[in-house]
Amino acid sequence: MESRWPNLPDELLEQISKRIGLKEFFTIGAACTNFFRFYKHQKKLFMESQPPFVILKTPHAKKSCSFFCLSARQTFRVVLPYFWGKVYVGFSGGYMIMTRGSRLWLINPFTREQLHIPESPFLHYCISEHDQVIHASIMGSEDFVIVSISSLTSSLDVYHSRNSSRANFAFNGDPWKVMDIAVFKGRIYAITDKAEIGVLSLTSAKLTLLELKSSPSSDLDSVKLVGSDDHLLVVSFIPLKNLEVYKIDFSGMEWVKLDTLGDQALFLGKYRKGSALRNPSRWGYNSNCVYYIGYTPPVCYIYSMENRLVSSILVAAGDPAASKLCCIDWYHPHQFSSPNYVQDE
């Protein structure tokens, strides 16, 4: 009997897509022409509907990593090409970023789209696992930039895919060092250990510090710069010791301390960049709190805005390799359809 799968209506395919996971959705397009058409049409909406995942791997992983959903308590594994021998340095713009020596390799773990930079993207050093690296697409073109903060120095390095150009921002004469970077509303911002906010120019190799009122009177500990939907946030967080959250009010050019996150939640990692998501309850997460992962053991800790431990979740519980897994970062599927875009000034 002739198969009826190619003739399933979109209404039924939509119901099927609500009952399958992230990994299964990206294989559905290979079933037949009708499924591939539906997959292309629904991919953006599907990714935006997915919750944050914890990325895990074993210390000596050769070809795969795992993704764990806190709300569903489910783990699935993804095989990645060329995974062996590389060091994970961050997730940005929908890509996992890895390095080996002085070279970078970026891959979307589900679409398998890759950016491989065969030459060293930076002039002065090899990227290490504790460096901060972000990827951003240039508005109106197919070009992109990669920006890295060295964990050993106060320098920023920028690689521009156009003509493979490189620029180094050295701040040796300044009494501060850059702690974190973030893309917000088409610009790249940086924060120093003296709680100063600057804007990075991609053309002049210059960091312009902003004159902001009501800045914190003391240096911030373990500071992260977080771009949310509406605000640029500054988060200083040490579990059970210190939690301060500020937003940068660009209309008044001032720091504003926040006592509540409202309907947002923060997703932080010990060595990685932070993120803020609005309305996390749609995925079973709590608002107005901090979800925090270390490296090992594989546990997610949930803190209130008063920096009290509310609860903890054993990540990948039931996985035979759970005791060997390390939490390396958060993965946000919605960034698949909303990559970082910056203006090429």
Side-chain angles (χ1 to χ4, degrees):
M1 186 174 64
E2 183 180 357
S3 172
R4 297 180 180 179
W5 286 104
N7 301 314
L8 291 180
D10 284 359
E11 293 79 6
L12 184 55
L13 290 175
E14 185 175 349
Q15 292 301 315
I16 293 174
S17 70
K18 292 179 179 179
R19 289 166 170 78
I20 61 177
L22 194 61
K23 185 178 179 180
E24 291 77 17
F25 181 80
F26 278 92
T27 62
I28 196 174
C32 61
T33 302
N34 187 38
F35 279 30
F36 180 70
R37 175 195 57 78
F38 176 81
Y39 161 79
K40 289 187 65 176
H41 184 262
Q42 293 291 322
K43 182 166 57 177
K44 181 176 183 293
L45 290 175
F46 180 85
M47 293 299 283
E48 290 176 348
S49 71
Q50 296 301 295
F53 291 83
V54 179
I55 308 175
L56 305 118
K57 76 176 190 70
T58 61
H60 305 290
K62 293 184 177 181
K63 59 182 180 180
S64 67
C65 62
S66 297
F67 293 79
F68 179 76
C69 177
L70 295 179
S71 56
R73 302 294 200 276
Q74 292 179 344
T75 306
F76 60 89
R77 190 163 297 166
V78 174
V79 176
L80 298 175
Y82 317 118
F83 195 61
W84 170 244
K86 292 182 174 63
V87 175
Y88 178 86
V89 293
F91 173 82
S92 178
Y95 293 99
M96 293 177 65
I97 306 176
M98 284 169 279
T99 182
R100 184 173 186 176
S102 60
R103 300 183 178 184
L104 281 180
W105 176 64
L106 292 78
I107 183 171
N108 185 300
F110 298 102
T111 67
R112 294 298 197 273
E113 179 184 357
Q114 298 182 44
L115 295 175
H116 183 224
I117 304 173
E119 299 179 354
S120 172
F122 304 126
L123 293 171
H124 299 283
Y125 76 105
C126 296
I127 299 171
S128 73
E129 62 181 328
H130 296 312
D131 292 349
Q132 296 287 350
V133 183
I134 63 171
H135 166 277
S137 300
I138 302 296
M139 291 181 179
S141 76
E142 295 183 355
D143 297 318
F144 62 89
V145 294
I146 297 174
V147 185
S148 173
I149 305 175
S150 170
S151 59
L152 300 176
T153 70
S154 61
S155 66
L156 281 170
D157 282 86
V158 178
Y159 170 83
H160 201 309
S161 65
R162 184 184 302 157
N163 301 322
S164 299
S165 61
R166 301 162 173 83
N168 174 258
F169 296 66
F171 308 112
N172 297 328
D174 295 300
W176 43 258
K177 62 179 180 179
V178 175
M179 301 296 291
D180 199 13
I181 47 179
V183 176
F184 179 69
K185 294 190 180 299
R187 309 183 85 175
I188 298 177
Y189 291 88
I191 186 168
T192 74
D193 60 338
K194 303 299 181 183
E196 295 177 297
I197 307 290
V199 181
L200 190 66
S201 171
L202 298 177
T203 56
S204 62
K206 181 181 180 182
L207 181 67
T208 302
L209 297 179
L210 304 178
E211 295 184 5
L212 298 172
K213 298 176 291 186
S214 306
S215 60
S217 57
S218 60
D219 299 346
L220 298 175
D221 294 322
S222 189
V223 66
K224 295 183 184 295
L225 203 54
V226 178
S228 68
D229 293 337
D230 303 315
H231 302 289
L232 182 64
L233 303 179
V234 178
V235 181
S236 177
F237 179 62
I238 299 177
L240 302 177
K241 179 180 177 182
N242 179 65
L243 174 57
E244 295 179 73
V245 182
Y246 299 84
K247 73 175 182 181
I248 305 301
D249 181 1
F250 288 99
S251 61
M253 293 301 289
E254 62 180 341
W255 292 66
V256 178
K257 189 171 185 178
L258 300 180
D259 296 321
T260 176
L261 295 172
D263 66 345
Q264 293 188 105
L266 292 173
F267 294 81
L268 306 178
K270 184 174 182 179
Y271 298 115
R272 299 297 163 215
K273 293 191 58 57
S275 57
L277 292 182
R278 190 172 297 283
N279 189 24
S281 60
R282 55 184 157 161
W283 299 306
Y285 292 81
N286 297 324
S287 300
N288 197 38
C289 63
V290 176
Y291 287 82
Y292 177 80
I293 53 174
Y295 184 70
T296 185
V299 177
C300 177
Y301 302 94
I302 306 172
Y303 295 90
S304 69
M305 282 296 287
E306 293 75 34
N307 206 1
R308 292 195 297 266
L309 181 62
V310 177
S311 63
S312 61
I313 299 173
L314 181 60
V315 175
D319 190 304
S323 61
K324 300 179 181 179
L325 291 172
C326 305
C327 300
I328 60 173
D329 210 343
W330 291 96
Y331 174 71
H332 299 285
H334 75 279
Q335 290 188 358
F336 170 84
S337 56
S338 302
N340 296 326
Y341 282 105
V342 295
Q343 301 171 0
D344 193 6
E345 302 175 29

